[in-house]
Amino acid sequence: MKKITHILIAACAILLLAAPPFLKNYGIYLLSYWLVFVIATMGLNLTVGYAGQKSLGHAAFFGIGAYTVAILMKAGFSFWLGLPAAALICFFVGIALGFPALRVQTIYLAFATLGFNTAVWLVMRNEEWLTGGTFGINNIARPSLFGYSLEGNLAYYYFVLGIAVVLGALQWGLLRSPWGKAFTALRDNPIRAESLGINTRSYTLLSFAIGAVYAGIAGALFASLVQFIEPAPFTVGASIMMYLMVVVGGPGYFLGPLLGSAVGVILPEWLRFAQAWYLFVFGSAVVLLMIWLPDGLLSIPDRIKAKRQAREASAARAAAAQQQGAR
């Protein structure tokens, strides 16, 4: 299975590098949009899939990152100042949001993060002096890199792809470090993790903070991609959709965000041939998927492996019983 996984990763990498120049502008834009959500859901996957926390407020961090860049660029600052500022603000806000997780869990934590998302969205909508309210902020420029303009869709796509690869590599290293093992221990059994000397309080806060940083960076890239932001993309519904992307792809699977974001971003575009029915078809497909694959699409190889092992164990028991009977 690992060999097949490596082949699939290599094939996807070649496709992502080679295919965009042959696509129309909208296709390139859609791939960039998908990569932005891959980055955002990488952070949510760390919080939900690896650390086991329930968060329905991820779109708020996505919005904070987008508005931070937009407001700073409107004030005359560079995108390269706005991007780290967005990540830093989201880091500290993420730590603050993590404190309820120290006292409540499961559905109660989900409601707490949902309330946080609603509060942030209301600020975006009502504080017109800062965010522009429902009129939003337009003319958000795309940055330049080493004197090379990223205004074109193809150039910006490769820029977002590069950031996604770097952030993915950082998360890969994090998950294979003692921190990553502490996150999974926190998810599997917090009491046992604490008995082993893991500071569950610190790692709970870190899971929210690092997840928020990924969302903030994704929001900053989103603002420059669409070049106009207003409160609508950062509602509770957007947080639920991001959570759904993580669950569909496979929470706790490293490549889950790639597949889950494709289902949430690209699949609806493919279903537009159904016209008014496409949302119904999309929703029905997701419901059926959750019934048959509650651990996400990437759990399929593990399920196949488990069934094969169960058959082999059953055959071994039957053979042993026959040998005992023969004796």
Side-chain angles (χ1 to χ4, degrees):
M1 285 296 178
K2 286 186 177 180
K3 186 177 180 181
I4 295 173
T5 302
H6 292 155
I7 292 171
L8 287 174
I9 291 173
C12 288
I14 293 169
L15 194 63
L16 288 172
L17 286 170
F22 301 97
L23 298 176
K24 295 181 179 179
N25 272 334
Y26 182 69
I28 298 170
Y29 170 85
L30 190 62
L31 282 178
S32 301
Y33 196 85
W34 166 65
L35 285 172
V36 164
F37 276 90
V38 168
I39 294 170
T41 51
M42 272 198 287
L44 186 58
N45 191 34
L46 178 69
T47 306
V48 173
Y50 287 100
Q53 306 301 312
K54 299 290 183 270
S55 176
L56 292 177
H58 210 61
F61 297 115
F62 191 62
I64 289 170
Y67 272 101
T68 299
V69 162
I71 291 167
L72 287 177
M73 291 183 74
K74 187 179 178 182
F77 294 98
S78 166
F79 173 87
W80 298 108
L81 178 64
L83 184 64
L88 194 62
I89 291 171
C90 286
F91 180 83
F92 287 111
V93 177
I95 289 178
L97 183 64
F99 277 99
L102 302 177
R103 301 184 63 86
V104 296
Q105 286 293 322
T106 63
I107 191 67
Y108 303 104
L109 178 57
F111 277 124
T113 56
L114 186 148
F116 163 74
N117 199 141
T118 302
V120 171
W121 179 79
L122 286 172
V123 170
M124 294 174 184
R125 184 176 181 272
N126 295 326
E127 301 301 320
E128 293 187 9
W129 64 274
L130 180 64
T131 65
T134 54
F135 297 102
I137 300 174
N138 57 13
N139 297 324
I140 303 169
R142 291 179 181 173
S144 296
L145 182 63
F146 302 121
Y148 182 73
S149 174
L150 302 175
E151 278 294 327
N153 282 338
L154 187 60
Y156 196 76
Y157 163 78
Y158 282 118
F159 170 62
V160 177
L161 178 61
I163 290 182
V165 170
V166 169
L167 291 176
L170 288 173
Q171 189 173 100
W172 178 268
L174 173 69
L175 293 173
R176 270 138 192 82
S177 71
W179 283 26
K181 292 176 174 58
F183 284 136
T184 53
L186 178 65
R187 175 196 64 194
D188 295 337
N189 193 322
I191 296 174
R192 184 172 61 188
E194 195 165 12
S195 70
L196 292 172
I198 294 172
N199 189 333
T200 56
R201 179 186 177 92
S202 296
Y203 282 103
T204 298
L205 296 177
L206 273 174
S207 70
F208 277 94
I210 297 172
V213 167
Y214 274 73
I217 293 172
L221 296 172
F222 174 78
S224 281
L225 173 66
V226 299
Q227 299 184 299
F228 168 77
I229 57 167
E230 46 97 17
F234 314 117
T235 61
V236 169
S239 284
I240 293 172
M241 178 57 78
M242 288 184 188
Y243 192 94
L244 183 65
M245 290 176 188
V246 171
V247 172
V248 167
Y253 289 90
F254 181 74
L255 296 178
L258 276 82
L259 197 54
S261 297
V263 171
V265 174
I266 297 176
L267 183 60
E269 293 295 322
W270 288 349
L271 292 174
R272 286 193 183 277
F273 71 88
Q275 296 179 359
W277 288 92
Y278 93 95
L279 284 175
F280 173 78
V281 174
F282 174 69
S284 300
V286 170
V287 168
L288 291 173
L289 177 64
M290 290 298 94
I291 292 172
W292 295 106
L293 289 170
D295 293 327
L297 290 169
L298 288 180
S299 68
I300 292 174
D302 290 339
R303 289 166 69 93
I304 293 171
K305 182 179 179 182
K307 287 182 178 180
R308 187 178 68 248
Q309 289 176 341
R311 286 196 301 268
E312 290 172 354
S314 179
R317 286 195 298 270
Q322 285 179 354
Q323 287 177 358
Q324 287 282 9
R327 290 176 185 175

